[in-house]
Amino acid sequence: MDVIKAAAQALISYAIRCGLIEEADRRWAYNELLDACGIEAVAPDHAWEIGVDEFDPDAFDLDATLAVLADAAIGAGRFEDSSGGRDRAAMAVMGRLMPRPSQVAAEFARRSQAGSATATDWFYRLCCDAGYVRRSAIARNIAWTTPTRWGDLEITINLSKPEKDPRDIAAALSCPADVEPYPACQLCMSNEGYAGRAAASALGAHPARQNLRIVPIELGGERWGLQYSPYAYFEEHCIAMSAEHRPMHVDRENMSRLLDFVDALPHYFVGSNADLPIVGGSILTHDHFQGGRHVFPMMRAKVERVFEISGFSDVRAGVLVWPLSVLKLSSSSRDSVLGAATRVLDVWRDHDDVECGVISHDADGTRHNTVTPVVAKEGDAYTVYLALRCNVTTAGHPLGVFHPHADKHHIKKENIGLIEVMGLAILPPRLVGELSRTQELLLAAQSRGAGPEELRADLEADELSASHAAWAVEVAQKHPALAQSDAERVLRDEVGLVFGRVLEDAGVYKWDDAGRAGLERFLSRL
């Protein structure tokens, strides 16, 4: 019990120091944590109770402290012993020390009077201090940049999201499929303060969100919410979501909301995933945007050529030198840039270009064309990036013509969403072990002078490296004198080059004569 007492006292001291609670809340908070852990009577140290606190912030480990208290709650039978139960136990503890949503919203509004960046700086720090933004987990991600013909692309292998526990997966099999869940999805604002559910629940598993806080913002005359992503992919990765659970849609109304967002938070960019499967994001059931304080490779791309959009002479329009087909629109007039962006979207939705494989609608009316819009503010000027997307499929490309092609699935098979459109790869954690084994086999083959066929056989015989065999043979031929000291860097750069080609697959108009001619046909309609 001394370990539990010490953990509870340290967590409360940390919460006081971070401003989550006040010094006068010390005794109350201790009793709250006992209750959260299912412990009836463990007295705190008297000196600590009266405020004689020897808390050392440099030695404090939030995750380890929460783990001690989660173990206590599991031992008391409050939660099941699984990774999901452990996380819900930890969040139940942390949730007891959180300021109420009304307090957070009021403080955000107060700080906004000194500037929007002042408010978001405070709010982001709060979400990190509260353990909602999983800083320690995010730090485990592997990241590097790779120089390509498209500039330096940003590559990450995402290790921050927890793996599913087999016990949770097994428990989920017993859940009825006809029960309507609450919250309806993980982006609903009703997640704020929600205790989560075990995998065996009749409603299915759902993460705990007691330490989630959402501040209200107004977009398009509606109430929306602003929160930060718990497993951020870039600096201050935030999410804006509608208060209503409704499908995503890309149209004039929501592009206007993107402009509202940067008017309110001009130091952030904001964008929307495309609103169709294959070319969209992972959650299309809830209207939401993503933004943050980051300059992506796409935003640094040069303009290849300029063009005009009829009726919008005050909008500077250009084609980016980028693997996807991206148009950049800029103007100091909000109305003009919105009108021009809407014009592009409206024309693109009904645009067919059989020579380039673009089919806007099936015979039954199923729509295939949309855009991935991104908005940023540069001084008084609005910049709108529109990536042209088409989710048509064929027998040769059943997952999508403008989706990563099969020869690149060993590196990336998932959808190319908003973040990756802009040049930041989010690659699966399986690559850590697979690339490590591939590297070992490459070096071993070179050390004994093995030829391409022998190397291929070695790679195909190993479960970890088999999917990379054809690619790794090409890498070996490209780098015939691969050294141990350079091997990891070389393989990472080659992965980055594959990601560049993945983005080329997603581009509707390729950088060849046929693709450039196709783009001209589309631009002539604007």
Side-chain angles (χ1 to χ4, degrees), residues 259 312-317 328-338 340 376-384:
L259 293 167
F312 300 98
S313 59
D314 56 344
V315 174
R316 297 180 297 281
K328 179 181 180 180
L329 314 180
S330 299
S331 179
S332 58
S333 167
R334 175 188 161 121
D335 289 344
S336 292
V337 80
L338 175 59
K377 213 168 182 185
E378 301 173 6
D380 293 331
Y382 298 91
T383 298
V384 177

Side-chain angles (χ1 to χ4, degrees), residues 138-153:
I138 294 166
R140 292 195 292 269
N141 290 343
I142 299 170
W144 68 91
T145 59
T146 296
T148 73
R149 64 177 290 199
W150 311 110
D152 289 345
L153 298 181

Side-chain angles (χ1 to χ4, degrees), residues 173-468:
L173 295 176
S174 62
C175 298
D178 57 349
V179 180
E180 185 173 344
Y182 170 86
C185 77
Q186 291 190 30
L187 290 178
C188 285
M189 290 172 67
S190 50
N191 280 278
E192 190 173 35
Y194 188 67
R197 299 188 298 269
S201 165
L203 294 174
H206 195 93
R209 291 290 183 256
Q210 288 102 322
N211 60 344
L212 166 63
R213 291 298 179 264
I214 301 169
V215 294
I217 56 175
E218 184 175 304
L219 301 178
E222 288 184 345
R223 184 193 172 197
W224 282 51
L226 177 72
Q227 70 168 82
Y228 288 100
S229 171
Y231 301 105
Y233 297 133
F234 50 85
E235 294 87 345
E236 298 181 40
H237 182 179
C238 64
I239 301 169
M241 58 280 191
S242 167
E244 177 186 353
H245 180 71
R246 65 189 184 209
M248 285 185 60
H249 55 107
V250 176
D251 49 21
R252 181 185 179 94
E253 179 183 47
N254 261 5
M255 288 195 292
S256 180
R257 288 192 177 102
L258 295 176
L259 293 167
D260 287 345
F261 184 99
V262 297
D263 276 338
L265 303 172
H267 57 295
Y268 280 177
F269 85 91
V270 68
S272 170
N273 267 307
D275 55 350
L276 294 176
I278 298 176
V279 296
S282 58
I283 300 179
L284 299 179
T285 56
H286 196 111
D287 213 1
H288 73 286
F289 308 139
Q290 296 182 74
R293 189 178 277 182
H294 190 68
V295 178
F296 287 85
M298 185 191 76
M299 297 171 172
R300 295 190 289 266
K302 295 180 180 179
V303 171
E304 180 230 7
R305 57 149 295 187
V306 296
F307 63 94
E308 294 184 357
I309 300 177
S310 179
F312 300 98
S313 59
D314 56 344
V315 174
R316 297 180 297 281
V319 176
L320 288 189
V321 180
W322 194 243
L324 283 92
S325 303
V326 179
L327 309 182
K328 179 181 180 180
L329 314 180
S330 299
S331 179
S332 58
S333 167
R334 175 188 161 121
D335 289 344
S336 292
V337 80
L338 175 59
T342 304
R343 168 76 175 159
V344 170
L345 174 60
D346 289 346
V347 173
W348 176 246
R349 274 181 171 163
D350 294 321
H351 185 71
D352 291 291
D353 194 330
V354 177
E355 292 180 45
C356 293
V358 175
I359 300 173
S360 66
H361 295 82
D362 286 337
D364 62 4
T366 300
R367 179 167 62 95
H368 293 303
N369 287 0
T370 186
V371 300
T372 300
V374 179
V375 175
K377 213 168 182 185
E378 301 173 6
D380 293 331
Y382 298 91
T383 298
V384 177
Y385 300 89
L386 299 174
L388 306 179
R389 313 299 303 273
C390 177
N391 77 344
V392 69
T393 62
T394 63
H397 296 291
L399 297 182
V401 172
F402 304 106
H403 177 82
H405 290 177
D407 63 322
K408 305 169 192 73
H409 286 178
H410 66 106
I411 297 296
K412 179 69 176 178
K413 186 177 182 178
E414 299 81 9
N415 293 0
I416 300 303
L418 166 70
I419 296 168
E420 292 178 310
V421 163
M422 295 187 286
L424 194 163
I426 304 165
L427 302 181
R430 63 175 172 81
L431 286 178
V432 174
E434 293 177 2
L435 292 176
S436 177
R437 184 57 178 152
T438 300
Q439 177 180 316
E440 290 175 8
L441 293 174
L442 278 173
L443 291 169
Q446 287 203 356
S447 68
R448 68 175 190 272
E453 292 308 315
E454 187 178 350
L455 170 60
R456 181 188 293 271
D458 290 347
L459 292 160
E460 290 178 343
D462 192 296
E463 183 180 2
L464 283 174
S465 59
S467 67
H468 301 287

Side-chain angles (χ1 to χ4, degrees), residues 125-177:
R125 186 173 62 252
L126 171 78
C127 295
C128 290
D129 291 342
Y132 187 74
V133 176
R134 308 287 182 106
R135 287 180 291 193
S136 60
I138 294 166
R140 292 195 292 269
N141 290 343
I142 299 170
W144 68 91
T145 59
T146 296
T148 73
R149 64 177 290 199
W150 311 110
D152 289 345
L153 298 181
E154 299 173 355
I155 315 298
T156 65
I157 297 178
N158 180 32
L159 303 177
S160 58
K161 284 191 176 180
E163 297 287 339
K164 288 191 175 181
D165 190 310
R167 292 167 293 186
D168 291 332
I169 295 171
L173 295 176
S174 62
C175 298

